[in-house]
Amino acid sequence: MSKSVGNVVDPEEVIFGGKDKKKNPSYGVDVLRWWVAHSHHHLHIMVGSTLLEKFQEDVFKVRKCMRHLLGNLFDFDPAKDMVEYNKMNPIDQYFLYVLYTTITQMEEAYESFSYHKVIQLLEKFFYSDLSSFYINITHDRCYCNAAADHARRSCQTVQYHVVNLITAGFAPIIPHLAEEIFRHLPKSHSDTDSTDSIFKLGWCKPLLAWNNVKAFNKLLPVFDMRRVVMDKFALESPVEFDIHIYSSPRLHDLLRASYKLQYKLLFIYPYISLIQCAREQGNNVK
C-alpha cells in the first residue's frame, strides 16, 4: 500500500463513505475502530472492502445480541428483581462462570495492550457462548414463564449482568454502540445516580462468587452432549426426529437429577428420551 501509488484507504472514506456509496459505503467509526483493534501489530495488516464488511457484520452481531437482551429486560428492576447467586438456576450459574472468565481474560488482554485478543474473546462470546448457546436455551423462560417467575428472573439477572459487564468491556473499542446500549440499560426506579455515560463508571468487575468451577464442571458433560446432538441434527427440523440418548450412569444422573435442568429444553428437540447404559461405556446419540 502506497500513498504515491494511490492504493491507500482513507479513514474518512471508511467512516463517511466515498462519492459512490455503492462502491464505497460508509461503515462508521465503530467498524473502523473494530478493525484497528482486530489488527495484530506483529503481522501484516490488511484492509479492504471484504474485511470491512466482515467487521461490520461483527459489530452488527454485537448490537443485535445486546438489543435482544435489552428487550428481555423491559420489565426488570435491578433493585427488586435481582436473584441472588446461590438461588439461581444451575444453568445460569454455569453461564456466569463463562461471563466471569471472559471479562477476566479481557481485562488481562487490555492490560497487555493485546487488543486483538479482546476482539477474539468478544467474537467467541457473542457467536458461541451467548447467541448459539445461552440465548438459544433460555428464550422459552423469557417468553413463556410468568413475569415474576423465579426462573425467568434468574435468567434476566444473568442477562442484566451480561449487558452491564460486556458493554463496559467493549466500550474502549466501539464507544458509540456502548453509549447507545448504556442509555437503554435498566435502572432501578429508586436509583438517584444521574450518570449519563458508561465511561464515568469505570471498569465493571464480575463478582468473585461467579468464579465457581464446580458449577461449571458439573454441567460441562451435559453441554458437551448437547453439542454432539446439535451438531448431528444442525440442519434438520427438530419435530422430524425421535432422539434417544444412550448415556453413562453419571451423565444420566446429571440430566435426571433435577427438573431445573430441563434437559429437553437444553437440546431444543421435543422428542428426546434418555437411556442409561449398564456401565461407563461412553455416550451415544441415535
Side-chain angles (χ1 to χ4, degrees):
M1 184 176 291
S2 172
K3 186 176 181 180
S4 60
V5 176
N7 60 348
V8 297
V9 177
D10 187 346
E12 286 195 8
E13 190 171 287
V14 173
I15 297 172
F16 301 108
K19 294 181 179 179
D20 185 349
K21 298 298 182 182
K22 291 185 178 180
K23 184 178 179 181
N24 298 306
S26 61
Y27 294 100
V29 176
D30 281 352
V31 173
L32 180 63
R33 293 173 66 93
W34 187 277
W35 164 75
V36 172
H38 188 279
S39 302
H40 196 320
H41 62 277
H42 288 160
L43 302 176
H44 183 63
I45 298 176
M46 302 178 64
V47 65
S49 58
T50 302
L51 275 178
L52 291 173
E53 287 174 5
K54 191 268 182 186
F55 296 145
Q56 185 180 44
E57 291 176 2
D58 290 342
V59 174
F60 180 74
K61 179 70 172 182
V62 173
R63 188 180 190 277
K64 183 179 179 181
C65 287
M66 300 305 263
R67 181 182 179 184
H68 176 87
L69 297 184
L70 288 172
N72 290 340
L73 296 172
F74 76 97
D75 63 343
F76 183 77
D77 184 348
K80 66 177 184 179
D81 297 328
M82 193 85 70
V83 176
E84 296 179 11
Y85 177 80
N86 57 2
K87 296 180 180 179
M88 280 185 170
N89 186 297
I91 298 172
D92 299 330
Q93 292 180 342
Y94 173 96
F95 197 73
L96 282 180
Y97 177 82
V98 175
L99 177 62
Y100 179 92
T101 55
T102 300
I103 293 296
T104 302
Q105 291 171 2
M106 286 176 63
E107 184 175 10
E108 293 173 354
Y110 274 122
E111 289 178 349
S112 63
F113 303 101
S114 301
Y115 303 119
H116 65 286
K117 292 183 179 179
V118 176
I119 296 296
Q120 291 171 0
L121 289 166
L122 287 171
E123 288 175 339
K124 177 184 179 299
F125 183 80
F126 279 100
Y127 280 94
S128 178
D129 299 326
L130 184 61
S131 178
S132 299
F133 174 65
Y134 190 71
I135 289 178
N136 200 15
I137 66 174
T138 58
H139 57 75
D140 283 353
R141 269 198 276 166
C142 293
Y143 300 149
C144 302
N145 290 25
D149 180 76
H150 181 271
R152 182 172 182 268
R153 293 303 190 197
S154 177
C155 180
Q156 285 181 310
T157 300
V158 174
Q159 293 176 340
Y160 174 81
H161 289 313
V162 168
V163 175
N164 197 26
L165 292 174
I166 291 294
T167 302
F170 64 63
I173 297 175
I174 43 178
H176 298 85
L177 178 58
E179 289 283 39
E180 179 186 2
I181 293 170
F182 178 75
R183 288 198 299 268
H184 294 87
L185 185 67
K187 306 291 193 302
S188 173
H189 296 310
S190 59
D191 191 1
T192 58
D193 187 5
S194 59
T195 302
D196 59 353
S197 173
I198 192 172
F199 294 99
K200 295 180 180 180
L201 297 178
W203 186 261
C204 296
K205 288 186 174 292
L207 297 179
L208 188 60
W210 300 351
N211 188 22
N212 188 348
V213 182
K214 290 183 178 179
F216 178 81
N217 290 335
K218 181 179 180 180
L219 292 183
L220 188 59
V222 178
F223 296 131
D224 285 343
M225 175 57 73
R226 177 185 184 272
R227 192 174 298 109
V228 172
V229 173
M230 300 300 289
D231 288 345
K232 278 182 174 288
F233 305 100
L235 301 179
E236 306 292 345
S237 174
V239 298
E240 295 180 359
F241 295 93
D242 292 339
I243 299 177
H244 305 284
I245 300 178
Y246 294 83
S247 59
S248 64
R250 178 170 175 267
L251 179 58
H252 185 274
D253 291 342
L254 280 174
L255 290 170
R256 290 290 192 184
S258 172
Y259 74 93
K260 292 181 180 180
L261 290 178
Q262 298 176 312
Y263 68 89
K264 289 188 177 181
L265 294 181
L266 289 178
F267 293 101
I268 307 301
Y269 295 87
Y271 305 108
I272 290 183
S273 64
L274 292 175
I275 301 173
Q276 180 176 340
C277 299
R279 54 189 176 84
E280 294 285 351
Q281 55 184 18
N283 307 304
N284 197 8
V285 179
K286 294 184 179 180

